Amino acid sequence: MNPIEIYPARVLRLKAAPVERMTSEIRHLVDHMTEVMYEAEGVGLAAPQIGDSRQVIVVDVGDGPFSLVNPEIVESDSEEVSVEEGCLSLPDIHVHVRRPAAIRIRGLDADGKTVERSLEGMSARAVQHEIDHLRGVLIIDHASAIQKTLLKNRLKRFRE
Ligand code: NI
């Protein structure tokens, strides 16, 4: 069974709560999310996408999986790039999204240790996409006015 929440599920619009304490339950959540991400052939997944409104993300853009709990962007490159993105919660929808090309992120790893990493390229993009999910933001929110008009009918289909 595919446990992924599909737009317009309400949980996708909530602000996810920070994780107060690293427990084995959170580690299991990370493992489960990683499995779901691979099964769905995605490059990232945020906990709200499986109905769990807590600040946990997993990403694997092809160079191995990593997870972050309570992730935050502590630095963003001023150079922005626009790339077409998809989302497991919005099947068959693609939107050009402008994002900083490189970021520095901070969060907790699966052992509860604070980690900081500099990311660029696909991994920077995937992490920003997943952090958006923790704020209740979806790729359709990044669409231009023209794109939004074009998407309107296709999004209506999701509500039926
Ligand atoms: Ni997504």
Side-chain angles (χ1 to χ4, degrees), residues 39-54:
E39 200 135 299
E41 293 178 2
V43 296
L45 192 75
Q49 290 184 278
I50 55 163
D52 190 327
S53 192
R54 288 184 289 181

Side-chain angles (χ1 to χ4, degrees), residues 49 86-88 129-130 133:
Q49 290 184 278
C87 179
L88 294 173
H129 176 119
E130 301 316 328
H133 274 298

Side-chain angles (χ1 to χ4, degrees), residues 36-118:
V36 171
M37 171 180 72
Y38 286 142
E39 200 135 299
E41 293 178 2
V43 296
L45 192 75
Q49 290 184 278
I50 55 163
D52 190 327
S53 192
R54 288 184 289 181
Q55 293 179 13
V56 181
I57 65 170
V58 295
V59 168
D60 185 349
V61 296
D63 51 4
F66 71 94
S67 62
L68 272 179
V69 171
N70 302 342
E72 52 177 332
I73 296 166
V74 291
E75 238 181 273
S76 294
D77 197 340
S78 57
E79 188 205 336
E80 291 195 338
V81 281
S82 179
V83 173
E84 197 175 60
E85 294 182 18
C87 179
L88 294 173
S89 294
L90 283 155
D92 302 322
I93 299 285
H94 294 92
V95 178
H96 275 95
V97 183
R98 283 188 78 79
R99 300 189 190 276
I103 53 169
R104 188 159 178 83
I105 47 154
R106 186 188 297 143
L108 302 175
D109 67 11
D111 297 316
K113 256 198 355 246
T114 299
V115 287
E116 249 188 72
R117 289 178 72 158
S118 292

